[in-house]
Amino acid sequence: MSMVLMGQEKVDFDRFESEEVNLQTNGSVFLSGETIYISIFSFLGSSSQPSSLSKIVYVTLIDNSGKELVSQKIAMNNGRGSGDIFLGTNLETGHYKLIAYTRWMLNFGKQHFFEKDLILINPYRTNESGIPYSDSSKNFENFSDQKQYSPFLSINLEKSILKTRKPLAINLLAKGKDAIRGSYTLSVKKVDSLALLEIQSSKDIQLDFDRNLNSDSLIAPELRGALISGKLEIEENIKSKKNITVSLSLLEEDLLPEFALTDEAGEFTWVLDELPTSQQASLAAINLKDRYHFKIYDDPKPDYSGLSFELVSINRALKGVIERRSVANQIENAYYQFKPDTVISTLKKTPFYSGIEKTFLLDDYTRFNSVKETFTEIILGGAVRMRNGEPFFKVETSNFIEGNEEYPTLLLVDGIHVTNNNFLYNYPATNIESVTIVQEEYYIGPQRFSGIIDVRSFNADFKSQYMLNIVDIKSINPIAVNKNYFNQHYYEDQKQVQSKIPDYRYQLLWRPVVSFQNDSIFFNCFTSDVTGMFEVVVSGFTSSGQPVFVKSYFEVSN
């Protein structure tokens, strides 16, 4: 029996419409040491429906020279995704931009991307040359507590005046089916005089769909997952670089390796259905000696040459506001271990071959020192053979014929595709925990495998040794991990412990993805030790693409 795990498919990209993205953040003015929280909406075509075309949105922080400072790949699910960017103290005070786009958007013109203006203030640096500290107040707006309303959604607050460290109940009401089926972002944050730029909201964004596809040099969308392209550079004198199978294994994740075929130039593209959150990967080529190496191409990027930046002037009267917010920020960062965000863990998947394998736990048998003896005496259906003085591992499938091994066995050790059989052959068998054998043929991507051998070492020791000695390790741009953002609670039975921990949160609550099950949804958060005016902002889009921006206020006092 043969099993096909993945197949190659040809896609008619001309039938796809253009995409647009909209990026919402928890503010537009930030201090060094703060975090930009990001919520992303993507839309497909003139219908303004959530896009399921691209699985990844690229988000980049750009300085006024057009230099990329921070880049993130953010996974999208039904047109929604979220991430965050921490602003380090190495950044200068000035005007920055957040750029967001999908690979598919780059086919519709060099300026086809979303941009959002940000102001960064670095209070830890002395005044940089060319950054004036002006007495003029024209570049920042006075605070106004006037609410903002929407016909689609409203905010009801349980109280408008609260004491410090007290609960606030927030009730969001959606008006009509279009609003209920929409998707939104919720932010609860202190308002201060650093509003140098008006927050760019969903109501300010006009979706501009361009149907003029540039098909001359088409950039494929990431339909199924992340695309990683590169070139196999071979030192051997071989006739053709075409149809060589190359593999990618993620070193920090236990996922199935990805396989691709090279073209005439030795170029290839891996399609990673399971999005990588690790940065290191091992690369290998099947049936080639060690005299080759890989070149990984950079992800495609838009042209930033048309971006415009303005000089930032900071009013001297803001010195006290900046100092107070900076001190609060330093205290919060110092106590981050008590208020961490948590990574949303994905369910551990069962192996793709689950149900037809045989697993041998070596501690259940008499231990042998060598891998060869272990396979000979314990591993039924698996074998170690010698060919031209080199060991190779083989599974005896149902159509296995000795001496006729046209297709290789897929050899996995600690999740890595291993092509250097000598390293495993000489590896201490006492360090191996288990060996799993699958006696069926598999097609994985373009490659046919005659069975599978899946070896696991104790504490993934083989993986660490293989990384140090053998494997060609490359860095890839990983997907940002999905997080549950911290929400402080004060409970009666924890008051004594919590009273000793300072609480200077300016950001009280951040929920990047808010969806309704019915016409009402409740949220709870606690105020901090910071007093003053706070805003509750809900922004997003209804199911038909109508922009929503609602704002309400409350006050915190001692």
Side-chain angles (χ1 to χ4, degrees), residues 98-389:
L98 271 182
I99 305 297
Y101 59 93
T102 66
R103 289 171 62 109
W104 183 242
M105 288 170 61
L106 300 180
N107 294 300
F108 295 87
K110 68 176 185 179
Q111 293 300 108
H112 202 68
F113 53 80
F114 174 89
E115 65 176 283
K116 179 179 176 65
D117 295 292
L118 300 176
I119 292 294
L120 172 65
I121 301 172
N122 188 340
Y124 307 106
R125 285 192 168 197
T126 58
N127 183 22
E128 295 95 357
S129 176
I131 305 294
Y133 283 78
S134 168
D135 287 325
S136 171
S137 60
K138 66 179 182 179
N139 285 337
F140 75 96
E141 299 180 0
N142 293 325
F143 165 75
S144 172
D145 62 355
Q146 184 177 358
K147 294 183 179 180
Q148 297 197 32
Y149 300 91
S150 168
F152 302 104
L153 193 146
S154 63
I155 302 172
N156 290 334
L157 303 181
E158 182 184 36
K159 298 177 181 178
S160 59
I161 301 178
L162 296 91
K163 297 294 186 181
T164 57
R165 301 198 180 194
K166 295 299 180 183
L168 172 68
I170 304 169
N171 181 22
L172 306 184
L173 294 173
K175 304 171 183 178
K177 291 183 179 179
D178 190 25
I180 292 174
R181 295 170 182 168
S183 186
Y184 311 95
T185 296
L186 170 65
S187 175
V188 183
K189 186 178 182 181
K190 187 182 187 315
V191 181
D192 60 26
S193 300
L194 297 184
L196 299 177
L197 286 175
E198 186 178 10
I199 294 177
Q200 191 176 27
S201 69
S202 54
K203 71 174 184 179
D204 299 321
I205 305 304
Q206 299 297 322
L207 299 178
D208 182 20
F209 292 96
D210 189 340
R211 295 181 179 275
N212 298 318
L213 174 64
N214 177 18
S215 57
D216 294 334
S217 55
L218 192 68
I219 300 173
E222 290 170 301
L223 285 166
R224 288 167 38 192
L227 299 180
I228 298 178
S229 299
K231 184 175 183 179
L232 178 65
E233 298 179 335
I234 306 171
E235 298 176 20
E236 295 182 23
N237 184 20
I238 64 173
K239 293 182 179 180
S240 176
K241 295 181 180 180
K242 187 177 181 181
N243 292 333
I244 297 173
T245 301
V246 291
S247 70
L248 176 146
S249 303
L250 298 170
L251 296 180
E252 298 165 28
E253 298 177 76
D254 193 1
L255 300 176
L256 176 69
E258 299 289 345
F259 297 87
L261 287 178
T262 58
D263 61 13
E264 294 87 349
E267 294 182 317
F268 55 85
T269 296
W270 287 300
V271 182
L272 278 60
D273 292 329
E274 297 180 277
L275 300 179
T277 57
S278 62
Q279 192 170 10
Q280 289 188 316
S282 70
L283 314 182
I286 293 179
N287 295 330
L288 284 185
K289 298 296 183 181
D290 293 336
R291 289 178 296 181
Y292 65 84
H293 62 276
F294 289 90
K295 179 180 180 181
I296 299 299
Y297 297 150
D298 292 333
D299 293 318
K301 299 175 182 178
D303 181 357
Y304 301 131
S305 60
L307 295 177
S308 61
F309 294 84
E310 296 187 15
L311 194 63
V312 175
S313 297
I314 300 177
N315 188 284
R316 295 183 188 276
L318 296 176
K319 179 182 178 182
V321 177
I322 294 172
E323 288 179 346
R324 287 191 295 272
R325 183 162 156 181
S326 177
V327 169
N329 182 40
Q330 292 178 62
I331 294 172
E332 283 300 292
N333 287 334
Y335 285 87
Y336 177 76
Q337 60 179 317
F338 299 102
K339 309 173 185 182
D341 302 325
T342 56
V343 174
I344 300 176
S345 58
T346 56
L347 294 176
K348 187 173 179 60
K349 295 185 178 180
T350 58
F352 61 92
Y353 51 72
S354 180
I356 57 173
E357 73 277 12
K358 297 178 184 177
T359 298
F360 300 87
L361 295 173
L362 299 193
D363 280 347
D364 293 343
Y365 302 86
T366 300
R367 281 277 185 173
F368 295 90
N369 291 326
S370 72
V371 169
K372 178 176 176 57
E373 289 177 302
T374 299
F375 269 77
T376 300
E377 301 296 336
I378 299 175
I379 311 303
L380 300 178
V384 182
R385 303 280 189 256
M386 301 299 293
R387 179 191 293 161
N388 300 323

Side-chain angles (χ1 to χ4, degrees), residues 60-63 67-70 87 91 96-98 118:
T60 305
L61 182 66
I62 306 290
D63 67 10
K67 180 181 177 182
E68 294 187 349
L69 302 175
V70 182
L87 299 170
L91 301 177
Y96 293 78
K97 288 183 183 286
L98 271 182
L118 300 176

Side-chain angles (χ1 to χ4, degrees), residues 524-543:
N524 286 286
C525 67
F526 278 76
T527 60
S528 63
D529 295 332
V530 178
T531 60
M533 296 300 299
F534 286 75
E535 63 181 9
V536 180
V537 179
V538 178
S539 58
F541 297 86
T542 68
S543 61

Side-chain angles (χ1 to χ4, degrees), residues 416 418-420 423 462-471:
I416 296 177
V418 172
T419 56
N420 189 305
F423 196 83
F462 178 92
K463 180 188 290 187
S464 61
Q465 297 300 319
Y466 198 68
M467 288 169 59
L468 289 173
N469 295 281
I470 300 296
V471 75

